[in-house]
């Protein structure tokens, strides 16, 4: 999770600070320099969809089973744009503004539901009983 040229003691100190802040609902600051020390990239590369988000929820024991075709559509559009398969102009000509407005709204609703599920997981302290493999 945390790698780089940081001493084990320093890593543990930052981890303790983060956990303490989560448990006691306190804010902590992490400078951009500190963040970039820990940022090692993700396995997602913009490819998260509802299925992958549900897998993450299952992995950590978060109760969340909502589905969203809109997230999948968003991921597919993003990938086509990122890989140069379509231009922004072509993408905007393929679907009307209403489509993109709906996509945005449904995506935000889905992500808000996921955030609420994670907040409930934390509020109920389910992380104390969850065992991951």
């Amino acid at each position: 999770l945390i790698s780089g040229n940081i001493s084990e003691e320093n890593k543990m100190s930052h981890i303790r600070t983060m956990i303490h802040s989560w448990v006691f609902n306190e804010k902590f600051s992490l400078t951009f320099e500190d963040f970039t020390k820990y940022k090692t990239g993700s396995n997602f590369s913009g490819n998260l969809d509802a299925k992958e988000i549900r897998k993450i929820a299952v992995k950590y024991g978060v109760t969340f089973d909502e589905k969203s075709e809109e997230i999948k559509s968003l991921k597919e559009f993003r990938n086509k744009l990122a890989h140069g398969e379509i231009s922004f102009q072509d993408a905007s000509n393929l679907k009307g503004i209403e489509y993109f407005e709906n996509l945005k709204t449904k995506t935000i609703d889905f992500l808000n539901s996921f955030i609420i599920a994670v907040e409930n997981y934390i509020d109920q302290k389910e992380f104390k009983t969850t065992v991951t493999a």
Side-chain angles (χ1 to χ4, degrees):
L1 177 65
I2 296 177
S3 62
N5 297 327
I6 303 166
S7 72
E8 286 301 313
E9 183 178 320
N10 200 1
K11 287 179 196 177
M12 292 308 295
S13 173
H14 279 93
I15 290 170
R16 280 192 291 278
T17 299
M18 287 186 282
I19 291 172
H20 179 84
S21 71
W22 294 329
V23 170
F24 295 104
N25 197 27
E26 295 174 354
K27 294 183 181 201
F28 72 96
S29 73
L30 187 62
T31 66
F32 181 74
E33 289 173 349
D34 286 336
F35 173 76
T36 56
K37 287 179 193 174
Y38 301 124
K39 178 73 175 122
T40 60
S42 74
N43 297 327
F44 307 118
S45 302
N47 290 315
L48 281 179
D49 58 18
K51 182 179 177 183
E52 291 299 317
I53 290 171
R54 285 191 310 275
K55 282 183 187 177
I56 293 167
V58 167
K59 178 180 178 181
Y60 291 101
V62 175
T63 302
F64 185 75
D65 59 359
E66 290 195 32
K67 296 181 167 111
S68 173
E69 285 300 313
E70 291 82 10
I71 296 276
K72 184 177 179 182
S73 295
L74 184 62
K75 177 189 86 168
E76 290 169 356
F77 259 99
R78 178 251 176 232
N79 286 342
K80 287 179 181 178
L81 287 166
H83 297 190
E85 293 175 37
I86 60 173
S87 68
F88 281 94
Q89 182 176 1
D90 291 340
S92 65
N93 289 334
L94 289 173
K95 305 283 185 176
I97 189 71
E98 296 83 15
Y99 172 81
F100 288 106
E101 285 290 332
N102 183 56
L103 188 67
K104 177 194 78 162
T105 300
K106 298 284 186 168
T107 300
I108 290 170
D109 290 347
F110 177 86
L111 293 174
N112 279 333
S113 295
F114 182 65
I115 290 168
I116 290 167
V118 172
E119 286 175 341
N120 289 337
Y121 173 83
I122 293 169
D123 290 345
Q124 300 301 314
K125 297 183 178 15
E126 292 177 38
F127 54 89
K128 290 185 174 185
T129 60
T130 303
V131 178
T132 59

